[in-house]
Amino acid sequence: TSVTLKLVVVGDKMVGKTSIINRYFHNKFSNKYIEEIWLKVTNKKVKLTLDDNNEVLINFFVYDLASEETFEEYFKPFSEGANGILIVFDLSRINTFESVDDWIRKLKAISTDKVIRNSVLIGAKSDLSELRELNSEKGIEKANELNLIQYIETSAKNDEQIAEIFE
């Protein structure tokens, strides 16, 4: 069996969106911040074994929208047919967590409820524990409040909980 899934990644600048994508799709991590062009599309085929031991081939397409400034202009055309959204914030910068509500508001204005309900809230940079500005409970509460399917804390640097985002 084969399935194509399209995910769109959103969040403030420098929260780790591209690092998460690069870690999962290319098994690479860099500490250097490189501002992406307004859109980067990444593709990978992954074979997963289901609970009933059947295998499914998933053809992932991930759309990384790099900048808040271009979001409203480009999100709608590039989110057409999306199966879900990854909403990323930085655990060491509380202002990026506070922006989650703004991202949801923007998403609701230009996307379907189904796509929003199939979204995952991601607290990135869990390896920066000494700089952490909020606890896990806040992320869980926010995901529940927004009716998102999951909250995950990740570290692209340490390759922690990255695969779980996509499984």
Side-chain angles (χ1 to χ4, degrees), residues 71-90:
F71 176 80
E72 291 176 17
E73 181 178 352
Y74 294 110
F75 182 82
K76 190 163 180 82
F78 289 107
S79 68
E80 293 288 328
N83 300 95
I85 302 167
L86 306 179
I87 306 164
V88 184
F89 70 93
D90 179 344

Side-chain angles (χ1 to χ4, degrees), residues 110-125:
I110 56 179
S111 190
T112 67
D113 285 340
K114 179 182 177 188
V115 172
I116 294 169
R117 283 193 309 271
N118 287 334
S119 298
V120 176
L121 182 61
I122 301 168
K125 304 184 185 182

Side-chain angles (χ1 to χ4, degrees), residues 3-10 60-62 75 79 81-88 104 107-108 111-122 143-144 146-152 164-167:
V3 176
T4 298
L5 291 178
K6 180 178 179 180
L7 301 173
V8 181
V9 184
V10 299
F60 278 112
F61 286 90
V62 177
F75 182 82
S79 68
N83 300 95
I85 302 167
L86 306 179
I87 306 164
V88 184
I104 291 292
L107 292 167
K108 284 183 176 180
S111 190
T112 67
D113 285 340
K114 179 182 177 188
V115 172
I116 294 169
R117 283 193 309 271
N118 287 334
S119 298
V120 176
L121 182 61
I122 301 168
N144 289 337
L146 298 171
N147 295 314
L148 307 181
I149 59 172
Q150 191 172 18
Y151 171 67
I152 299 177
E164 288 76 0
I165 294 169
F166 299 94
E167 292 177 353

Side-chain angles (χ1 to χ4, degrees), residues 31-43:
N31 280 317
K32 294 180 183 174
Y33 175 71
I34 299 170
E35 188 159 353
E36 295 288 344
I37 55 173
W38 56 272
L39 173 71
K40 182 177 181 183
V41 180
T42 307
N43 173 250

